[in-house]
């Protein structure tokens, strides 16, 4: 049997990793995973709770471990959390184990898409626009560093983005 391949979605909060990842996995008949959902499954608690109780550092330790474990698999689509790339180990791991697709969008779209959702702890204290700009400054170079493919998600639906990824990766 030919080796199954993996697709890993990276990019900032609200880029559409979780939504597009699910769509992509459906279309390609691959298994879908989301690192946040996997952390919630393992802890039996939501992401906000993990941040509250264990701090961001505790969350990052869990995130690194979950991504390490999921990337042992073959034939999956994995939506990562927006901050996962701050770990060098995770960046190396993603690069080594599959195609890395960077979903890029504007800060304005990120703000709009995350506005009604209280589940992202990093956006709950302060001005989302400013927080997202600061995160972009430190993280965008890390997304770029490991991206095999960059796809804009600001002006097209999840379905169209998913088709574009399939076409451009030649899956
Ligand atoms: N291409 C898109 N166009 C419009 N809305 C989108 C698109 N991708 C995602 N969304 C919406 O934006 C919100 C955040 O998407 P999500 O997949 O959770 O992003 P991420 O996992 O990157 O943080 C969701 O409400 C989702 O329905
Ligand atoms: O950017 C970040 O640091 C985070 C992004 C979130 O995932 P999404 O990128 O799927 O929103 C989630 O992992 C957590 O709230 C922290
Ligand atoms: Mg997500």
């Amino acid at each position: 049997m030919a080796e199954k391949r993996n697709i890993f979605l990276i990019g900032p909060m609200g880029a559409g990793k979780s939504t597009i990842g699910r769509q992509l996995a459906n279309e390609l008949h691959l298994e879908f995973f989301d690192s946040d959902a996997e952390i919630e499954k393992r802890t039996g608690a939501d992401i906000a709770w993990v941040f509250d109780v264990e701090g961001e550092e505790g969350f990052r330790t869990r995130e690194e471990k979950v991504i390490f474990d999921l990337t042992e698999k073959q034939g999956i689509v994995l939506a990562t959390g927006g901050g996962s790339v701050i770990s060098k180990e995770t960046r190396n791991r993603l690069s080594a184990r599959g195609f890395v697709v960077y979903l890029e969008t504007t800060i304005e779209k990120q703000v709009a898409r995350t506005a009604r959702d209280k589940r992202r702890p990093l956006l709950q204290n302060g001005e989302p626009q400013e927080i997202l700009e600061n995160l972009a400054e430190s993280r965008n170079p890390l997304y770029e560093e490991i991206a095999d493919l960059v796809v804009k998600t600001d002006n097209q639906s999840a379905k169209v983005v998913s088709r574009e990824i399939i076409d451009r990766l030649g899956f």
Side-chain angles (χ1 to χ4, degrees):
M1 194 176 73
E3 187 185 294
K4 288 186 181 171
R5 292 178 296 172
N6 294 324
I7 301 176
F8 306 135
L9 302 182
I10 62 167
M13 290 180 264
K17 302 176 297 296
S18 299
T19 310
I20 290 159
R22 187 173 291 282
Q23 173 80 34
L24 198 54
N26 273 338
E27 293 207 21
L28 292 170
H29 305 291
L30 297 176
E31 216 177 339
F32 175 66
F33 293 93
D34 185 306
S35 60
D36 284 335
E38 191 67 21
I39 290 168
E40 292 183 332
K41 195 171 138 194
R42 290 186 186 187
T43 56
D46 63 20
I47 297 301
W49 185 93
V50 177
F51 266 76
D52 267 356
V53 175
E54 301 182 346
E56 180 169 351
E57 204 186 319
F59 172 79
R60 295 297 169 207
T61 303
R62 289 188 182 278
E63 185 175 51
E64 196 171 85
K65 169 83 171 107
V66 154
I67 291 176
F68 183 88
D69 291 349
L70 291 175
T71 51
E72 287 283 292
K73 297 176 182 288
Q74 285 289 342
I76 68 161
V77 175
L78 169 64
T80 63
S84 60
V85 298
I86 62 184
S87 156
K88 178 144 187 61
E89 200 166 332
T90 293
R91 294 202 299 283
N92 290 341
R93 180 76 176 167
L94 293 173
S95 285
R97 301 288 301 169
F99 292 99
V100 179
V101 181
Y102 171 18
L103 300 184
E104 198 186 45
T105 189
T106 61
I107 301 276
E108 289 65 33
K109 288 281 182 190
Q110 285 183 259
V111 171
R113 289 178 187 167
T114 56
R116 283 184 306 277
D117 199 333
K118 295 271 169 277
R119 285 174 302 178
R120 290 181 182 81
L122 294 179
L123 299 180
Q124 303 314 310
N125 296 305
E127 190 54 53
Q129 164 107 16
E130 199 180 312
I131 296 167
L132 290 167
E133 278 168 0
N134 286 331
L135 290 175
E137 197 174 305
S138 59
R139 293 175 179 178
N140 288 359
L142 304 176
Y143 299 134
E144 280 155 21
E145 176 191 309
I146 59 165
D148 295 308
L149 181 68
V150 184
V151 180
K152 284 194 190 299
T153 73
D154 45 341
N155 280 316
Q156 37 189 14
S157 69
K159 194 164 187 148
V160 171
V161 174
S162 158
R163 291 294 337 165
E164 183 180 339
I165 294 169
I166 292 169
D167 288 347
R168 288 176 64 192
L169 284 182
F171 261 62

